[in-house]
Amino acid sequence: AQSVTQLDSQVPVFEEAPVELRCNYSSSVSVYLFWYVQYPNQGLQLLLKYLSGSTLVKGINGFEAEFNKSQTSFHLRKPSVHISDTAEYFCAVSENDKIIFGKGTRLHILP
Amino acid sequence: EAQVTQNPRYLITVTGKKLTVTCSQNMNHEYMSWYRQDPGLGLRQIYYSMNVEVTDKGDVPEGYKVSRKEKRNFPLILESPSPNQTSLYFCASSFYTGTNIYGYTFGSGTRLTVV
């Protein structure tokens, strides 16, 4: 069955440091992959998506993610975080008629 | 502006009193879905619809009903709400080609409290 695993429930990182949020999925077929961000007390907003083509995907706010088919991973990265990146980040996989979400990773930015 | 509109944003109700949360999208999306978000449990799908008059259960459908009479609207109905339905609810929509969903646009959420 399709599943999405976000390996870290919380990630603390100092401001201006790089960050990687990890996401692994299980699927036997071609999938579409997404990262969503949820700022405090707000809805979910699409950060970036992989549908096909280049495995390195660039999104909004300086984030990027790399699709690795052999490792079934879609890790999210940012080279230098800002206090405004404080949020919860959700990885998601679309397969056929479903989108399955990971349980989320809370990014805490330390001053 | 392309958007998914949910109403109300906040709702406090009593056990057993029927309620409806409305959801409307202006992007001509085929696919619409309802999720609930609870601490530690992430987002769980309640119901989804692949087109008008086509709906199906998600992972946690018990206690909920939906209908899709028009393409733009997908209301969520709680016939007899109970306290365990206290949650944050999101409506979402997406283009759907019959093979894959192209990525959701989410509504702003409805925070429901059942006392």
Side-chain angles (χ1 to χ4, degrees):
Chain A
Q2 185 188 79
S3 67
V4 178
T5 302
Q6 291 183 243
L7 295 159
D8 305 296
S9 58
Q10 298 192 60
V11 172
V13 61
F14 286 104
E15 197 169 11
E16 298 184 8
V19 69
E20 179 180 80
L21 305 183
R22 296 179 292 169
C23 173
N24 286 87
Y25 67 94
S26 65
S27 176
S28 57
V29 299
S30 295
V31 296
Y32 295 161
L33 297 156
F34 311 89
W35 276 98
Y36 287 87
V37 60
Q38 186 177 28
Y39 298 106
N41 300 312
Q42 293 189 28
L44 283 86
Q45 177 183 358
L46 182 66
L47 261 183
L48 49 79
K49 61 184 175 185
Y50 171 79
L51 302 183
S52 65
S54 172
T55 57
L56 183 62
V57 181
K58 293 193 184 297
I60 61 171
N61 302 339
F63 283 93
E64 63 181 33
E66 184 149 24
F67 169 53
N68 188 319
K69 188 174 182 179
S70 62
Q71 296 187 5
T72 59
S73 68
F74 191 54
H75 301 333
L76 180 70
R77 301 186 184 101
K78 186 170 182 177
S80 176
V81 296
H82 188 266
I83 194 74
S84 61
D85 293 321
T86 298
E88 189 159 20
Y89 293 79
F90 293 91
C91 181
V93 173
S94 168
E95 181 185 63
N96 299 324
D97 59 359
K98 292 265 193 173
I99 289 186
I100 303 296
F101 287 85
K103 288 196 169 15
T105 298
R106 286 195 182 276
L107 181 59
H108 296 283
I109 310 299
L110 307 171
Chain B
E1 181 190 351
Q3 60 186 355
V4 176
T5 303
Q6 276 181 247
N7 280 299
R9 289 292 307 275
Y10 300 93
L11 179 60
I12 301 175
T13 190
V14 296
T15 299
K17 185 176 181 182
K18 181 180 178 180
L19 65 92
T20 299
V21 184
T22 63
C23 175
S24 180
Q25 51 95 4
N26 62 0
M27 295 164 282
N28 203 35
H29 284 167
E30 297 83 7
Y31 193 102
M32 297 185 75
S33 185
W34 278 101
Y35 287 85
R36 60 179 289 175
Q37 185 179 26
D38 302 288
L41 298 177
L43 286 152
R44 294 181 292 168
Q45 192 177 43
I46 303 170
Y47 268 95
Y48 63 97
S49 169
M50 289 184 275
N51 217 321
V52 176
E53 302 291 1
V54 180
T55 63
D56 209 345
K57 296 177 181 178
D59 300 315
V60 288
E62 293 77 22
Y64 304 95
K65 283 176 56 177
V66 293
S67 68
R68 187 94 182 271
K69 294 184 171 57
E70 307 163 281
K71 198 170 186 179
R72 64 183 292 123
N73 295 323
F74 191 47
L76 179 69
I77 303 156
L78 285 72
E79 294 268 3
S80 182
S82 62
N84 65 11
Q85 292 178 297
T86 292
S87 187
L88 179 58
Y89 291 86
F90 288 102
C91 180
S93 72
S94 173
F95 284 118
Y96 176 63
T97 61
T99 52
N100 265 14
I101 306 165
Y102 279 75
Y104 283 134
T105 299
F106 280 89
S108 298
T110 296
R111 187 167 291 281
L112 172 66
T113 302
V114 184
V115 298

